[in-house]
mmCIF file with all atom_site columns, all heavy atoms in Angstrom:
data_model
loop_
_atom_site.group_PDB
_atom_site.id
_atom_site.type_symbol
_atom_site.label_atom_id
_atom_site.label_alt_id
_atom_site.label_comp_id
_atom_site.label_asym_id
_atom_site.label_entity_id
_atom_site.label_seq_id
_atom_site.pdbx_PDB_ins_code
_atom_site.Cartn_x
_atom_site.Cartn_y
_atom_site.Cartn_z
_atom_site.occupancy
_atom_site.B_iso_or_equiv
_atom_site.pdbx_formal_charge
_atom_site.auth_seq_id
_atom_site.auth_comp_id
_atom_site.auth_asym_id
_atom_site.auth_atom_id
_atom_site.pdbx_PDB_model_num
ATOM 1   N N   . PRO J 1 48 ? 0.923  -22.857 11.093 1.00 84.00 ? 48 PRO J N   1
ATOM 2   C CA  . PRO J 1 48 ? 2.377  -22.923 11.188 1.00 84.00 ? 48 PRO J CA  1
ATOM 3   C C   . PRO J 1 48 ? 3.019  -21.718 10.503 1.00 84.00 ? 48 PRO J C   1
ATOM 4   O O   . PRO J 1 48 ? 2.354  -21.035 9.716  1.00 84.00 ? 48 PRO J O   1
ATOM 5   C CB  . PRO J 1 48 ? 2.720  -24.214 10.441 1.00 84.00 ? 48 PRO J CB  1
ATOM 6   C CG  . PRO J 1 48 ? 1.606  -24.397 9.473  1.00 84.00 ? 48 PRO J CG  1
ATOM 7   C CD  . PRO J 1 48 ? 0.378  -23.814 10.135 1.00 84.00 ? 48 PRO J CD  1
ATOM 8   N N   . PRO J 1 49 ? 4.290  -21.469 10.794 1.00 86.00 ? 49 PRO J N   1
ATOM 9   C CA  . PRO J 1 49 ? 4.967  -20.335 10.145 1.00 86.00 ? 49 PRO J CA  1
ATOM 10  C C   . PRO J 1 49 ? 4.960  -20.500 8.628  1.00 86.00 ? 49 PRO J C   1
ATOM 11  O O   . PRO J 1 49 ? 4.988  -21.615 8.109  1.00 86.00 ? 49 PRO J O   1
ATOM 12  C CB  . PRO J 1 49 ? 6.396  -20.411 10.690 1.00 86.00 ? 49 PRO J CB  1
ATOM 13  C CG  . PRO J 1 49 ? 6.314  -21.239 11.928 1.00 86.00 ? 49 PRO J CG  1
ATOM 14  C CD  . PRO J 1 49 ? 5.163  -22.183 11.725 1.00 86.00 ? 49 PRO J CD  1
ATOM 15  N N   . TRP J 1 50 ? 4.918  -19.404 7.932  1.00 90.00 ? 50 TRP J N   1
ATOM 16  C CA  . TRP J 1 50 ? 4.896  -19.437 6.477  1.00 90.00 ? 50 TRP J CA  1
ATOM 17  C C   . TRP J 1 50 ? 6.200  -19.983 5.914  1.00 90.00 ? 50 TRP J C   1
ATOM 18  O O   . TRP J 1 50 ? 7.277  -19.782 6.487  1.00 90.00 ? 50 TRP J O   1
ATOM 19  C CB  . TRP J 1 50 ? 4.638  -18.049 5.928  1.00 90.00 ? 50 TRP J CB  1
ATOM 20  C CG  . TRP J 1 50 ? 3.215  -17.602 6.126  1.00 90.00 ? 50 TRP J CG  1
ATOM 21  C CD1 . TRP J 1 50 ? 2.129  -18.386 6.364  1.00 90.00 ? 50 TRP J CD1 1
ATOM 22  C CD2 . TRP J 1 50 ? 2.737  -16.263 6.102  1.00 90.00 ? 50 TRP J CD2 1
ATOM 23  N NE1 . TRP J 1 50 ? 0.997  -17.623 6.472  1.00 90.00 ? 50 TRP J NE1 1
ATOM 24  C CE2 . TRP J 1 50 ? 1.344  -16.312 6.315  1.00 90.00 ? 50 TRP J CE2 1
ATOM 25  C CE3 . TRP J 1 50 ? 3.341  -15.033 5.910  1.00 90.00 ? 50 TRP J CE3 1
ATOM 26  C CZ2 . TRP J 1 50 ? 0.546  -15.170 6.335  1.00 90.00 ? 50 TRP J CZ2 1
ATOM 27  C CZ3 . TRP J 1 50 ? 2.559  -13.903 5.936  1.00 90.00 ? 50 TRP J CZ3 1
ATOM 28  C CH2 . TRP J 1 50 ? 1.170  -13.966 6.142  1.00 90.00 ? 50 TRP J CH2 1
ATOM 29  N N   . LYS J 1 51 ? 6.107  -20.650 4.778  1.00 90.00 ? 51 LYS J N   1
ATOM 30  C CA  . LYS J 1 51 ? 7.288  -21.222 4.116  1.00 90.00 ? 51 LYS J CA  1
ATOM 31  C C   . LYS J 1 51 ? 8.074  -20.162 3.359  1.00 90.00 ? 51 LYS J C   1
ATOM 32  O O   . LYS J 1 51 ? 9.269  -20.326 3.142  1.00 90.00 ? 51 LYS J O   1
ATOM 33  C CB  . LYS J 1 51 ? 6.854  -22.335 3.159  1.00 90.00 ? 51 LYS J CB  1
ATOM 34  C CG  . LYS J 1 51 ? 6.254  -23.513 3.894  1.00 90.00 ? 51 LYS J CG  1
ATOM 35  C CD  . LYS J 1 51 ? 5.719  -24.549 2.944  1.00 90.00 ? 51 LYS J CD  1
ATOM 36  C CE  . LYS J 1 51 ? 5.161  -25.698 3.788  1.00 90.00 ? 51 LYS J CE  1
ATOM 37  N NZ  . LYS J 1 51 ? 4.207  -26.496 3.080  1.00 90.00 ? 51 LYS J NZ  1
ATOM 38  N N   . ARG J 1 52 ? 7.400  -19.110 2.960  1.00 92.00 ? 52 ARG J N   1
ATOM 39  C CA  . ARG J 1 52 ? 8.051  -18.024 2.228  1.00 92.00 ? 52 ARG J CA  1
ATOM 40  C C   . ARG J 1 52 ? 8.214  -16.811 3.136  1.00 92.00 ? 52 ARG J C   1
ATOM 41  O O   . ARG J 1 52 ? 7.408  -16.579 4.027  1.00 92.00 ? 52 ARG J O   1
ATOM 42  C CB  . ARG J 1 52 ? 7.192  -17.593 1.041  1.00 92.00 ? 52 ARG J CB  1
ATOM 43  C CG  . ARG J 1 52 ? 7.165  -18.563 -0.085 1.00 92.00 ? 52 ARG J CG  1
ATOM 44  C CD  . ARG J 1 52 ? 6.549  -17.885 -1.323 1.00 92.00 ? 52 ARG J CD  1
ATOM 45  N NE  . ARG J 1 52 ? 6.841  -18.642 -2.502 1.00 92.00 ? 52 ARG J NE  1
ATOM 46  C CZ  . ARG J 1 52 ? 5.964  -19.418 -3.124 1.00 92.00 ? 52 ARG J CZ  1
ATOM 47  N NH1 . ARG J 1 52 ? 4.732  -19.506 -2.690 1.00 92.00 ? 52 ARG J NH1 1
ATOM 48  N NH2 . ARG J 1 52 ? 6.322  -20.085 -4.196 1.00 92.00 ? 52 ARG J NH2 1
ATOM 49  N N   . SER J 1 53 ? 9.224  -16.016 2.832  1.00 93.00 ? 53 SER J N   1
ATOM 50  C CA  . SER J 1 53 ? 9.362  -14.718 3.487  1.00 93.00 ? 53 SER J CA  1
ATOM 51  C C   . SER J 1 53 ? 8.343  -13.765 2.872  1.00 93.00 ? 53 SER J C   1
ATOM 52  O O   . SER J 1 53 ? 8.023  -13.864 1.691  1.00 93.00 ? 53 SER J O   1
ATOM 53  C CB  . SER J 1 53 ? 10.766 -14.154 3.263  1.00 93.00 ? 53 SER J CB  1
ATOM 54  O OG  . SER J 1 53 ? 11.730 -14.995 3.847  1.00 93.00 ? 53 SER J OG  1
ATOM 55  N N   . VAL J 1 54 ? 7.860  -12.853 3.669  1.00 95.00 ? 54 VAL J N   1
ATOM 56  C CA  . VAL J 1 54 ? 6.910  -11.853 3.199  1.00 95.00 ? 54 VAL J CA  1
ATOM 57  C C   . VAL J 1 54 ? 7.423  -10.485 3.625  1.00 95.00 ? 54 VAL J C   1
ATOM 58  O O   . VAL J 1 54 ? 7.746  -10.278 4.796  1.00 95.00 ? 54 VAL J O   1
ATOM 59  C CB  . VAL J 1 54 ? 5.493  -12.109 3.778  1.00 95.00 ? 54 VAL J CB  1
ATOM 60  C CG1 . VAL J 1 54 ? 4.534  -11.006 3.357  1.00 95.00 ? 54 VAL J CG1 1
ATOM 61  C CG2 . VAL J 1 54 ? 4.977  -13.474 3.351  1.00 95.00 ? 54 VAL J CG2 1
ATOM 62  N N   . LEU J 1 55 ? 7.507  -9.567  2.673  1.00 96.00 ? 55 LEU J N   1
ATOM 63  C CA  . LEU J 1 55 ? 7.874  -8.184  2.969  1.00 96.00 ? 55 LEU J CA  1
ATOM 64  C C   . LEU J 1 55 ? 6.594  -7.371  3.075  1.00 96.00 ? 55 LEU J C   1
ATOM 65  O O   . LEU J 1 55 ? 5.775  -7.380  2.155  1.00 96.00 ? 55 LEU J O   1
ATOM 66  C CB  . LEU J 1 55 ? 8.743  -7.603  1.853  1.00 96.00 ? 55 LEU J CB  1
ATOM 67  C CG  . LEU J 1 55 ? 10.099 -8.232  1.605  1.00 96.00 ? 55 LEU J CG  1
ATOM 68  C CD1 . LEU J 1 55 ? 10.754 -7.607  0.369  1.00 96.00 ? 55 LEU J CD1 1
ATOM 69  C CD2 . LEU J 1 55 ? 10.993 -8.057  2.814  1.00 96.00 ? 55 LEU J CD2 1
ATOM 70  N N   . PHE J 1 56 ? 6.424  -6.665  4.176  1.00 97.00 ? 56 PHE J N   1
ATOM 71  C CA  . PHE J 1 56 ? 5.286  -5.764  4.334  1.00 97.00 ? 56 PHE J CA  1
ATOM 72  C C   . PHE J 1 56 ? 5.823  -4.363  4.089  1.00 97.00 ? 56 PHE J C   1
ATOM 73  O O   . PHE J 1 56 ? 6.682  -3.891  4.826  1.00 97.00 ? 56 PHE J O   1
ATOM 74  C CB  . PHE J 1 56 ? 4.680  -5.895  5.732  1.00 97.00 ? 56 PHE J CB  1
ATOM 75  C CG  . PHE J 1 56 ? 4.035  -7.232  5.957  1.00 97.00 ? 56 PHE J CG  1
ATOM 76  C CD1 . PHE J 1 56 ? 4.760  -8.288  6.496  1.00 97.00 ? 56 PHE J CD1 1
ATOM 77  C CD2 . PHE J 1 56 ? 2.714  -7.434  5.604  1.00 97.00 ? 56 PHE J CD2 1
ATOM 78  C CE1 . PHE J 1 56 ? 4.164  -9.528  6.677  1.00 97.00 ? 56 PHE J CE1 1
ATOM 79  C CE2 . PHE J 1 56 ? 2.116  -8.676  5.787  1.00 97.00 ? 56 PHE J CE2 1
ATOM 80  C CZ  . PHE J 1 56 ? 2.846  -9.721  6.329  1.00 97.00 ? 56 PHE J CZ  1
ATOM 81  N N   . MET J 1 57 ? 5.337  -3.732  3.026  1.00 97.00 ? 57 MET J N   1
ATOM 82  C CA  . MET J 1 57 ? 5.876  -2.429  2.638  1.00 97.00 ? 57 MET J CA  1
ATOM 83  C C   . MET J 1 57 ? 4.759  -1.420  2.426  1.00 97.00 ? 57 MET J C   1
ATOM 84  O O   . MET J 1 57 ? 3.668  -1.768  1.991  1.00 97.00 ? 57 MET J O   1
ATOM 85  C CB  . MET J 1 57 ? 6.633  -2.550  1.310  1.00 97.00 ? 57 MET J CB  1
ATOM 86  C CG  . MET J 1 57 ? 7.913  -3.329  1.395  1.00 97.00 ? 57 MET J CG  1
ATOM 87  S SD  . MET J 1 57 ? 8.853  -3.198  -0.139 1.00 97.00 ? 57 MET J SD  1
ATOM 88  C CE  . MET J 1 57 ? 8.135  -4.542  -1.071 1.00 97.00 ? 57 MET J CE  1
ATOM 89  N N   . THR J 1 58 ? 5.092  -0.182  2.736  1.00 98.00 ? 58 THR J N   1
ATOM 90  C CA  . THR J 1 58 ? 4.265  0.938   2.318  1.00 98.00 ? 58 THR J CA  1
ATOM 91  C C   . THR J 1 58 ? 5.161  1.876   1.528  1.00 98.00 ? 58 THR J C   1
ATOM 92  O O   . THR J 1 58 ? 6.344  2.020   1.829  1.00 98.00 ? 58 THR J O   1
ATOM 93  C CB  . THR J 1 58 ? 3.613  1.662   3.509  1.00 98.00 ? 58 THR J CB  1
ATOM 94  O OG1 . THR J 1 58 ? 4.630  2.096   4.413  1.00 98.00 ? 58 THR J OG1 1
ATOM 95  C CG2 . THR J 1 58 ? 2.638  0.749   4.237  1.00 98.00 ? 58 THR J CG2 1
ATOM 96  N N   . PHE J 1 59 ? 4.607  2.469   0.507  1.00 98.00 ? 59 PHE J N   1
ATOM 97  C CA  . PHE J 1 59 ? 5.374  3.303   -0.401 1.00 98.00 ? 59 PHE J CA  1
ATOM 98  C C   . PHE J 1 59 ? 4.961  4.762   -0.285 1.00 98.00 ? 59 PHE J C   1
ATOM 99  O O   . PHE J 1 59 ? 3.824  5.070   0.038  1.00 98.00 ? 59 PHE J O   1
ATOM 100 C CB  . PHE J 1 59 ? 5.144  2.865   -1.859 1.00 98.00 ? 59 PHE J CB  1
ATOM 101 C CG  . PHE J 1 59 ? 5.538  1.446   -2.133 1.00 98.00 ? 59 PHE J CG  1
ATOM 102 C CD1 . PHE J 1 59 ? 4.567  0.470   -2.308 1.00 98.00 ? 59 PHE J CD1 1
ATOM 103 C CD2 . PHE J 1 59 ? 6.871  1.074   -2.207 1.00 98.00 ? 59 PHE J CD2 1
ATOM 104 C CE1 . PHE J 1 59 ? 4.927  -0.840  -2.571 1.00 98.00 ? 59 PHE J CE1 1
ATOM 105 C CE2 . PHE J 1 59 ? 7.240  -0.229  -2.468 1.00 98.00 ? 59 PHE J CE2 1
ATOM 106 C CZ  . PHE J 1 59 ? 6.259  -1.192  -2.649 1.00 98.00 ? 59 PHE J CZ  1
#
Side-chain angles (χ1 to χ4, degrees):
W50 287 340
K51 294 175 179 158
R52 288 193 164 104
S53 297
V54 176
L55 296 174
F56 293 91
M57 291 189 273
T58 57
F59 300 106

